[in-house]
Amino acid sequence: MTPIPLTSVPNLRDVGGYRTADGAKVRTGVFYRSTDLSRVADTDMPALDGLGIRTVYDLRTADERAAAPDILPNGARAVALDVLADKGIRSIPAQMLQVIADPMIAERELGGGRAIEYFEGSYRDFVEMPSAVSSYRELFGGLATNGNTPALVHCTTGKDRTGWATAALLLLLGVGEDDVFHDYLLTNELLLPAFAGVFEKFVDAGGDPALLEPVLGVREQYLQVSLAAMREQYGTIERYFSDGLGLDAGVQTLLRECMIAD
């Protein structure tokens, strides 16, 4: 895992470098994750272009994409995959920045433990909801297809929809759960500092900063919900890919060949 220090694209990192159970290593320079690319500064563009990204998989809703269009790296194409399409306007992960703009709305929507409930429900949806299933099927099928990598996967803050995508892929590649959770929880180190101004503004408006922590960061229990749903329905990560996403052993082998160094 290598963070890439672009101030205008927080939480950008190369997911390669982790060891698999059989001692191989996930390739670097193939799979990147980040926040959205709507605010890429001109000064950061050369570094982003230098990654050689061919495909940007955008897991946001149509409304999110319209409100904050990506600025694509040179030579990259965009693939829109609306993970939360079936959840619509009830999706807090898709609208969190609007919800937290007003402390009164945030308290109404997220107070009393509701934020954690929302996110746990969303992480279950990542495994079960039809729009999520079709989106992740296209994502992983695309990654297994020649010519689509290096690829960058993102949602709005690059932590939830992107977090499950990354965790599922690393597990399929044979990376241990400790490293999968390590990568997932790195968001708290790489993203939360970028929200310092949001916390300050929220507090100045009379909000409780503790309300924002489960919204703007990630928690181990969130990813545990996705893993529990996956195991309950499919038993193993391989069967999640084959029975859940419709990506058979041949596609899984292609993913491993693309993503694992000898």
Side-chain angles (χ1 to χ4, degrees):
M1 183 290 310
T2 305
I4 300 167
L6 274 62
T7 56
S8 60
V9 189
N11 211 18
L12 170 61
R13 58 194 191 263
D14 185 333
V15 177
Y18 291 109
R19 288 286 182 184
T20 64
D22 59 3
K25 183 180 286 188
V26 179
R27 293 183 192 274
T28 58
V30 177
F31 182 93
Y32 298 90
R33 57 178 293 182
S34 74
T35 59
D36 71 60
L37 303 179
S38 66
R39 297 173 296 277
V40 185
D42 290 344
T43 52
D44 282 337
M45 207 67 212
L48 187 62
D49 288 341
L51 300 178
I53 292 165
R54 295 181 179 180
T55 314
V56 174
Y57 292 97
D58 187 343
L59 308 184
R60 298 178 297 169
T61 65
D63 286 346
E64 287 174 289
R65 295 194 305 272
D70 275 346
I71 301 171
L72 293 175
N74 185 43
R77 69 183 183 96
V79 177
L81 302 174
D82 188 346
V83 169
L84 297 174
D86 291 339
K87 200 159 189 175
I89 61 172
R90 297 162 303 171
S91 171
I92 291 297
Q95 299 187 44
M96 72 173 107
L97 297 182
Q98 294 94 318
V99 170
I100 64 174
D102 185 321
M104 290 184 65
I105 296 175
E107 179 61 39
R108 185 185 70 221
E109 296 290 335
L110 305 173
R114 285 185 291 275
I116 293 172
E117 291 176 7
Y118 276 126
F119 277 92
E120 288 182 344
S122 291
Y123 275 75
R124 189 172 299 106
D125 289 336
F126 296 158
V127 175
E128 300 174 351
M129 193 163 59
S131 60
V133 170
S134 62
S135 295
Y136 289 123
R137 177 190 301 122
E138 187 169 346
L139 166 62
F140 295 124
L143 291 175
T145 303
N146 285 336
N148 287 338
T149 56
L152 183 147
V153 180
H154 76 79
C155 43
T156 292
T157 52
K159 69 186 188 71
D160 302 308
R161 288 162 285 186
T162 301
W164 172 242
T166 304
L169 177 62
L170 290 176
L171 288 170
L172 181 74
L173 298 178
V175 175
E177 278 197 23
D178 286 348
D179 283 337
V180 170
F181 274 95
H182 169 76
D183 183 82
Y184 174 73
L185 293 170
L186 273 175
T187 284
N188 290 334
E189 298 178 27
L190 300 178
L191 179 65
L192 283 179
F195 282 125
V198 175
F199 276 92
E200 291 172 8
K201 186 176 179 181
F202 192 77
V203 171
D204 289 344
D208 179 359
L211 192 62
L212 299 187
E213 292 169 3
V215 177
L216 296 178
V218 293
R219 293 188 172 194
E220 183 173 330
Q221 71 195 82
Y222 295 163
L223 184 56
Q224 289 285 12
V225 170
S226 293
L227 292 175
M230 179 271 289
R231 288 175 176 137
E232 180 181 341
Q233 294 196 45
Y234 305 110
T236 65
I237 191 67
E238 291 81 8
R239 285 191 58 194
Y240 164 67
F241 272 76
S242 61
D243 299 353
L245 301 181
L247 301 173
D248 61 20
V251 176
Q252 294 177 38
T253 296
L254 289 173
L255 266 174
R256 293 187 182 100
E257 290 175 351
C258 172
M259 292 293 303
I260 296 178
D262 296 331

